[in-house]
Amino acid sequence: MEDAYARSVSEVLEFFAVDPTKGLTDLEVTQHAHSYGKNVLPQEKCTPFWKLVLKQFNDLLVKILIAAAFISFILALANGETVLSAFIEPSVILMILAANAAVGVITETNAEKALEELRAYQADVATVLRNGCFSILPAADLVPGDIVEVSVGCKIPADMRMIEILSDHLRVDQAILTGESCSVEKELDATTATNAVYQDKTSILFSGTTVVAGRARAVVIGVGSNTAMGSIRDSMLMTEDEVTPLKKKLDEFGTFLAKIIAGICVLVWVVNIGHFSDPAHGGFLRGAIHYFKIAVALAVAAIPEGLPAVVTTCLALGTKRMARLNAIVRSLPSVETLGCTTVICSDKTGTLTTNMMSVSKICVLHSLNNGPMNSEYVVSGTTYAPEGFIVDSLGAQLEIPAQYPCLLHIAMCSALCNESVIQYNPDKRIYEKIGESTEVALRLLAEKIGLPGFDTMPSALNMLSKHERASYCNRYWESQFKKVSLLEFSRDRKMMSVLCNRKQMEIMFSKGAPESILSRCTNILCNDDGSTVPLSAHIRAQLEAKYNSFAGKETLRCLALALKRMPMGQQSLSFDDENDLTFIGLVGMLDPPRDEVRNAILSCMNAGIRVIVVTGDNKTTAESLCQKIGAFDHLGDFTGFSYTASEFEELPALQKSVALQRMTILSRVEPSHKRMLVEALQNQNEVVAMTGDGVNDAPALKKANIGIAMGSGTAVAKSASDMVLADDNFATVVAAVAEGRVIYNNTKQFIRYMISSNIGEVVCIFVAAMLGIPDTLVPVQLLWVNLVTDGLPATAIGFNKQDSDVMKSKPRKVNEAVVSGWLFFRYLVIGAYVGLATVAGFIWWFVYYDNGPKLPYTELMHFDSCSTRETNYACSIFSDRHPSTVSMTVLVVVEMFNALNNLSENQSLLVIPPWSNLWLVASIIFTMILHILILYVQPLSALFSVTPLSWAEWTVVLYLSFPVILIDEILKFFSRNSGIRFSFRFRRADLLPKREIRDK
């Protein structure tokens, strides 16, 4: 029954044909179970493990690598190698791919935990009326039409319509569903609001929420998937994980690279068709296979095998830094997504605010004779810690607040007319509360006012341990007054009272809604001398005006406090006693904004990131909070910037699109609205970060580009998120965004480094094939260069320092290419030099080296016909390991120098010297040590087909390698001077493919 909230009790009971005094019969239960199903969230089918594994290999570059590994294995066997030696190269490739697949599988299995943890919010048992008798049954057995009784502490087992309240009132904590900071009072009356949201449906008890006060009966109207919790589950199932911007660009780059690789491989093979029949190959087929091996080697050289591992490592290093900022990353790719976030949709309660209700204003009667009639005080402190000051209207701090009569009696009333508890948790090192938020706020007020009669009161209290200090003043008043009788809060009275005894004196303290307390007061306490005077119509009007100001303009939650001297010996209270009260004062409380939020939001604005406050609270409360934060002052009026969810839904499509671009506040939201907001923003090409803590936030957290859960939030929200804020602080989100930008910049640098290195390898093989000289490098040597020499420095580039202006530039566009036109040209130049230097080292050894064969260049070009001609040298010279070792060492050393080029995209090494990143220097030293090991340690040199080099050979290696720094310094100089660079620009903004997404 979808509209039970708008129907009367009798209509709902009639719909289910149930007698509220007897409940359903066994036959009716069976019929309803058949019609509506069981009260459980259905088990969702998990993706088979083998499918998750296969999914990780569904990438074009990965497929090319697997094919290359397989082909090289078959060709090695065909050439007569043993199975073990033939499998060395393919095994290295397969191990890398397996490691990357493992990371992907772990990430995807984490996402499915959110649906399982949603079940934890379902009640286990329920008190049900059937066949005229109450019994406790498993909640799973409930059917629509069942009459259920709930009381304090009960978890609501299904969606239910209230039919009878068995106590003065019923309050339910709906925070997991709506995010409201306070419990909600339920009632029997039908809701007349159009487009009613969860907060409006005050006659409905929602599954998974908890009763915090009162007792009632209700009829079940929805079970299983047809409940509020079920709709959240369905919404999560409909949400597909978004691919991160970097992943998209890497996928596009992979496709682009794959096409280039395929083209070059085919070109090399076709160009050499004329050499297939050379006698050195032993026949046309063997020649074709030989050049096919070269094409395979080219594919291995062109694909950066270490790229996924290095990206993962860099992201992991970023997560470690973010953990120090209290941002715990659950999904590695999300780290980079933060860098291009354009909109942050922030939950209000607990993220922008402390979620710790505090008294912020006090109003009392000063005097009828002297000065202004009313005194107003401001109370500082925004947490549950008993720390804060009372400041008067002139801005002066009160040294001993308890010496003022009204404040003293406010402290008494706050401590005694209270059922909450504040305690210090030594493990978490924080103060925690038990009980209603408003009562906790009054407890804290009593601590801030302090005790009378001690000149050293503030400093004396600070000498206590945190455990003693938590409720020291409250315990003092509770020891001074003995509680005799209590009148609990009720909806009709809107107040509560407690009768206390002290030194043969009976006093009743009362607190409640200002309009209820004021209507029962006949006298008022004066703050200047402690006298009691009649409450005149003039004073009453002034207090009502102040109350309207607190509750209206300042959107404070207000309570009035009063007292009454009772006859000596009275032991009980009646409702009639709550008349002729003496008014003490008016207190206004709020969930205060965090101190650091203002600067954090301003930082977002400077960085081109828009903040939208999303809350379940009403519109005026949300607008008031934004005014208190102070970061939205430039907007002036919130008209056109603030909408309720229903107002936004009713807008025509065009106006809705305009509203999205200006929106700052969205209030009165429920779970579906949050998800709708994320989708609408994503349709406008925004990259959305969404914060949340409740079960209700899970669908939106999962749908957002990056979902950010609160550390104090529910397990469901955390499981659906990409990142968890340990301190629930919005400022941490902003710090994480800055870190995300740094990570992306460094990721971009090492991707460019690896691309230029691989271009060098491709040029090396391609040029050698075109010149007709022997293979400069064998495949296993290429793998060594790609994995070890590329991997370590590339990872160290991830430690490049953060730019000082990282949060002063706008977010990068989602479709921004990793390598743009001018940079692609730069790295083509660098890559071409790397390749040519490698080939030059190979040719130098054969033609110019004093200890080499000193062959004429033409002999080197016709090496493959050596066995068919008479020569003055042995043909075995072409199998010597020295030339390929020189080539490999040139390639390693030139790439180490190239790594230094990547300390900055455009800054010279004279400005950012190598020691600015000691990790990079260390990685270069370690890489060179590893390379020297494989040259000079016998088993390794045989494995990689290398041999030790002489000092003369090392000298030439350095001569050929160092110029790469000079070349890049010249290119960087052009980059820094845009006028010079202009002539090098390509017609398109970048050479890498882009997704066809319209720019905003």
Side-chain angles (χ1 to χ4, degrees):
M1 189 176 188
E2 295 183 358
D3 61 345
Y5 64 89
R7 304 284 189 90
S8 66
V9 172
S10 58
E11 286 179 302
V12 176
L13 293 172
E14 185 180 344
F15 179 85
F16 290 109
V18 60
D19 184 342
T21 61
K22 295 181 180 178
L24 297 176
T25 63
D26 291 339
L27 178 61
E28 289 170 329
V29 169
T30 305
Q31 291 172 343
H32 286 206
H34 180 73
S35 300
Y36 300 106
K38 295 197 71 175
N39 186 32
V40 291
L41 294 178
Q43 183 82 35
E44 184 60 27
K45 290 181 181 178
C46 294
T47 307
F49 181 76
W50 64 270
K51 279 191 176 180
L52 284 177
V53 173
L54 286 181
K55 184 180 176 184
Q56 310 311 313
F57 295 95
N58 188 25
D59 180 272
L60 195 55
L61 281 183
V62 170
K63 289 173 184 175
I64 291 175
L65 267 180
I66 293 173
F70 179 73
I71 292 168
S72 64
F73 177 66
I74 297 299
L75 293 177
L77 288 178
N79 277 355
E81 294 184 32
T82 64
V83 174
L84 185 62
S85 62
F87 192 64
I88 290 175
E89 184 184 322
S91 64
V92 175
I93 295 174
L94 294 175
M95 279 192 293
I96 297 164
L97 297 178
N100 290 330
V103 173
V105 169
I106 291 167
T107 302
E108 294 209 25
T109 50
N110 280 341
E112 295 187 353
K113 290 181 182 177
L115 291 171
E116 287 303 311
E117 285 170 342
L118 198 59
R119 299 173 186 276
Y121 291 90
Q122 291 182 285
D124 296 323
V125 295
T127 304
V128 189
L129 177 65
R130 285 183 182 171
N131 301 309
C133 299
F134 276 103
S135 56
I136 297 176
L137 298 175
D141 292 345
L142 288 180
V143 297
D146 265 327
I147 304 297
V148 177
E149 187 168 306
V150 295
S151 56
V152 176
C154 282
K155 192 176 284 184
I156 306 298
D159 279 8
M160 303 190 294
R161 169 66 161 89
M162 298 257 292
I163 61 172
E164 185 180 2
I165 297 178
L166 303 174
S167 57
D168 289 331
H169 66 293
L170 185 83
R171 297 190 72 84
V172 177
D173 181 356
Q174 296 185 166
I176 65 164
L177 195 62
T178 63
E180 292 167 294
S181 54
C182 297
S183 59
V184 178
E185 187 164 345
K186 295 295 182 178
E187 53 192 29
L188 298 178
D189 297 336
T191 303
T192 57
T194 54
N195 298 323
V197 295
Y198 288 143
Q199 296 92 320
D200 298 323
K201 300 173 184 177
T202 52
S203 60
I204 303 294
L205 304 178
F206 297 106
S207 63
T209 60
T210 307
V211 179
V212 295
R215 181 167 153 256
R217 286 181 190 168
V219 58
V220 176
I221 58 170
V223 295
S225 296
N226 296 317
T227 61
M229 208 62 69
S231 66
I232 290 172
R233 171 190 168 276
D234 293 342
S235 184
M236 290 174 70
L237 284 176
M238 288 190 294
T239 303
E240 295 181 3
D241 291 333
E242 291 287 320
V243 179
T244 67
L246 180 61
K247 180 69 167 64
K248 287 179 183 177
K249 300 319 295 180
L250 289 179
D251 287 347
E252 291 170 21
F253 173 66
T255 304
F256 171 76
L257 193 59
K259 292 174 182 176
I260 297 296
I261 291 166
I264 293 176
C265 289
V266 170
L267 182 64
V268 167
W269 199 67
V270 170
V271 164
N272 284 284
I273 286 178
H275 296 284
F276 287 3
S277 301
D278 288 347
H281 302 314
F284 184 86
L285 183 60
R286 285 187 173 274
I289 291 174
H290 171 77
Y291 285 103
F292 189 59
K293 281 184 71 176
I294 292 177
V296 170
L298 194 61
V300 173
I303 297 173
E305 296 92 344
L307 181 58
V310 174
V311 170
T312 301
T313 304
C314 187
L315 294 177
L317 292 171
T319 63
K320 191 173 181 182
R321 290 198 294 268
M322 290 170 77
R324 297 193 198 109
L325 302 172
N326 288 317
I328 314 302
V329 176
R330 296 185 65 256
S331 170
L332 277 182
S334 65
V335 175
E336 172 273 326
T337 309
L338 279 166
C340 56
T341 298
T342 57
V343 178
I344 299 175
C345 297
S346 177
D347 201 27
K348 177 183 76 71
T349 306
T351 308
L352 298 178
T353 68
T354 62
N355 197 19
M356 300 179 187
M357 193 71 77
S358 304
V359 172
S360 62
K361 292 279 185 76
I362 301 173
C363 177
V364 296
L365 177 68
H366 177 69
S367 169
L368 285 179
N369 304 316
N370 304 319
M373 188 175 290
N374 290 336
S375 290
E376 189 173 314
Y377 298 97
V378 175
V379 185
S380 67
T382 58
T383 68
Y384 289 144
E387 301 161 358
F389 306 103
I390 314 293
V391 179
D392 64 21
S393 56
L394 299 176
Q397 180 184 322
L398 305 187
E399 292 297 327
I400 307 176
Q403 72 182 7
Y404 295 86
C406 285
L407 295 182
L408 175 65
H409 284 84
I410 284 174
M412 290 181 192
C413 187
S414 297
L416 298 168
C417 205
N418 204 313
E419 299 295 319
S420 66
V421 177
I422 303 173
Q423 57 191 18
Y424 182 71
N425 186 327
D427 296 329
K428 296 181 180 178
R429 298 182 180 180
I430 58 171
Y431 291 91
E432 295 179 330
K433 61 125 180 174
I434 300 174
E436 279 282 349
S437 300
T438 51
E439 293 201 334
V440 173
L442 292 176
R443 284 266 187 227
L444 284 167
L445 179 60
E447 295 297 328
K448 292 171 185 176
I449 291 174
L451 301 176
F454 300 95
D455 291 341
T456 57
M457 175 48 58
S459 57
L461 287 173
N462 291 334
M463 293 172 67
L464 298 171
S465 69
K466 290 188 175 181
H467 177 73
E468 293 174 311
R469 180 68 189 92
S471 295
Y472 185 83
C473 298
N474 281 276
R475 284 198 299 271
Y476 172 82
W477 291 121
E478 287 171 343
S479 68
Q480 292 293 309
F481 289 86
K482 178 186 175 184
K483 292 185 182 180
V484 178
S485 181
L486 175 70
L487 278 180
E488 290 189 353
F489 180 91
S490 65
R491 283 192 306 157
D492 54 345
R493 290 163 40 246
K494 293 184 179 179
M495 63 183 293
M496 71 170 287
S497 299
V498 60
L499 178 63
C500 299
N501 170 274
R502 183 192 186 201
K503 298 178 181 178
Q504 306 299 313
M505 180 173 62
E506 315 292 341
I507 300 179
M508 181 183 74
F509 291 101
S510 300
K511 72 170 186 200
E515 63 272 21
S516 295
I517 295 290
L518 268 173
S519 65
R520 299 166 188 267
C521 289
T522 53
N523 298 297
I524 187 167
L525 188 67
C526 292
N527 199 38
D528 63 340
D529 56 6
S531 61
T532 300
V533 298
L535 181 58
S536 65
H538 177 61
I539 298 174
R540 190 185 299 274
Q542 283 205 333
L543 290 172
E544 287 175 350
K546 182 57 67 177
Y547 161 54
N548 290 331
S549 172
F550 278 6
K553 184 180 177 182
E554 300 184 48
T555 63
L556 302 180
R557 187 167 187 178
C558 297
L559 286 177
L561 308 177
L563 60 81
K564 181 181 181 181
R565 290 287 297 270
M566 304 298 287
M568 190 176 296
Q570 183 167 334
Q571 296 296 306
S572 62
L573 288 177
S574 67
F575 295 149
D576 292 335
D577 291 323
E578 293 179 325
N579 289 304
D580 299 323
L581 304 179
T582 298
F583 189 87
I584 305 173
L586 179 71
V587 296
M589 55 188 77
L590 79 161
D591 181 7
R594 293 177 181 270
D595 295 334
E596 59 275 27
V597 161
R598 181 178 184 275
N599 289 337
I601 291 178
L602 290 175
S603 178
C604 281
M605 291 175 178
N606 290 335
I609 301 169
R610 193 152 54 95
V611 178
I612 299 178
V613 179
V614 183
T615 178
D617 278 338
N618 62 55
K619 191 174 182 179
T620 53
T621 301
E623 290 176 357
S624 175
L625 173 83
C626 289
Q627 287 171 339
K628 287 184 174 71
I629 290 172
F632 301 99
D633 294 345
H634 63 284
L635 298 179
D637 185 11
F638 280 102
T639 303
F641 297 96
S642 175
Y643 299 87
T644 65
S646 56
E647 285 173 352
F648 180 69
E649 279 189 312
E650 290 169 1
L651 290 175
L654 185 60
Q655 289 183 32
K656 191 178 287 188
S657 177
V658 173
L660 270 176
Q661 295 171 16
R662 304 181 65 202
M663 185 184 292
T664 301
I665 301 169
L666 187 66
S667 53
R668 299 302 279 177
V669 299
E670 56 182 41
S672 60
H673 294 135
K674 291 188 176 184
R675 189 175 186 278
M676 169 209 58
L677 176 64
V678 171
E679 285 182 344
L681 288 167
Q682 287 175 339
N683 289 337
Q684 292 193 348
N685 296 333
E686 303 281 10
V687 178
V688 185
M690 168 68 80
T691 71
D693 56 1
V695 173
N696 61 310
D697 297 322
L701 290 174
K702 195 174 179 188
K703 178 63 181 172
N705 297 91
I706 175 162
I708 305 170
M710 301 299 111
S712 61
T714 60
V716 178
K718 291 177 187 175
S719 294
S721 68
D722 301 297
M723 191 172 85
V724 178
L725 299 186
D727 59 357
D728 294 8
N729 197 334
F730 181 81
T732 304
V733 178
V734 181
V737 168
E739 188 62 41
R741 290 186 172 191
V742 172
I743 290 168
Y744 176 75
N745 289 341
N746 290 344
T747 303
K748 194 165 58 172
Q749 283 298 98
F750 70 67
I751 287 173
R752 289 167 177 169
Y753 164 66
M754 295 185 82
I755 290 171
S756 62
S757 298
N758 283 42
I759 288 173
E761 294 165 19
V762 171
V763 169
C764 167
I765 293 172
F766 185 72
V767 169
M770 296 300 292
L771 293 177
I773 63 176
D775 298 340
T776 52
L777 298 167
V778 297
V780 73
Q781 291 172 341
L782 284 172
L783 269 177
W784 168 258
V785 173
N786 279 355
L787 295 178
V788 182
T789 61
D790 281 4
L792 289 173
T795 304
I797 288 170
F799 287 94
N800 284 350
K801 290 184 178 178
Q802 173 179 330
D803 292 338
S804 58
D805 61 349
V806 72
M807 285 298 282
K808 293 179 182 176
S809 57
K810 290 185 177 181
R812 74 177 194 278
K813 294 170 184 173
V814 180
N815 57 345
E816 176 189 292
V818 177
V819 180
S820 57
W822 164 248
L823 278 169
F824 192 70
F825 173 79
R826 273 176 55 179
Y827 286 98
L828 274 175
V829 172
I830 295 295
Y833 178 79
V834 170
L836 293 172
T838 305
V839 174
F842 186 86
I843 294 173
W844 168 83
W845 191 88
F846 277 108
V847 178
Y848 301 105
Y849 182 38
D850 291 338
N851 294 330
K854 286 203 169 186
L855 300 177
Y857 180 68
T858 54
E859 288 292 325
L860 186 61
M861 288 180 66
H862 296 95
F863 77 98
D864 46 7
S865 61
C866 175
S867 59
T868 63
R869 293 182 289 112
E870 284 192 18
T871 58
N872 57 1
Y873 57 88
C875 292
S876 60
I877 195 69
F878 295 115
S879 300
D880 195 301
R881 292 181 179 179
H882 277 88
S884 67
T885 304
V886 170
S887 288
M888 181 183 176
T889 306
V890 168
L891 187 56
V892 169
V893 175
V894 77
E895 289 186 6
M896 294 305 101
F897 284 125
N898 191 29
L900 294 176
N901 287 333
N902 283 276
L903 281 166
S904 172
E905 186 175 309
N906 294 316
Q907 290 299 326
S908 167
L909 281 172
L910 299 174
V911 176
I912 301 180
W915 52 87
S916 66
N917 186 344
L918 293 176
W919 286 102
L920 180 58
V921 174
S923 72
I924 290 172
I925 293 170
F926 184 66
T927 298
M928 290 309 302
I929 290 171
L930 287 177
H931 186 68
I932 289 168
L933 278 176
I934 70 163
L935 293 186
Y936 295 95
V937 176
Q938 182 52 45
L940 294 174
S941 60
L943 178 64
F944 289 98
S945 302
V946 293
T947 191
L949 298 180
S950 66
W951 176 245
E953 289 168 322
W954 273 107
T955 304
V956 170
V957 166
L958 291 173
Y959 277 141
L960 288 171
S961 301
F962 184 76
V964 76
I965 286 183
L966 301 178
I967 293 169
D968 202 50
E969 285 292 309
I970 294 169
L971 293 171
K972 284 181 178 179
F973 175 77
F974 288 161
S975 291
R976 291 193 298 271
N977 296 272
S978 57
I980 298 174
R981 185 180 69 183
F982 180 79
S983 60
F984 288 97
R985 285 183 180 166
F986 294 92
R987 184 182 175 194
R988 284 197 52 172
D990 58 71
L991 292 181
L992 298 185
K994 288 188 176 182
R995 295 178 67 87
E996 294 300 321
I997 297 177
R998 180 181 59 81
D999 247 355
K1000 298 191 298 297

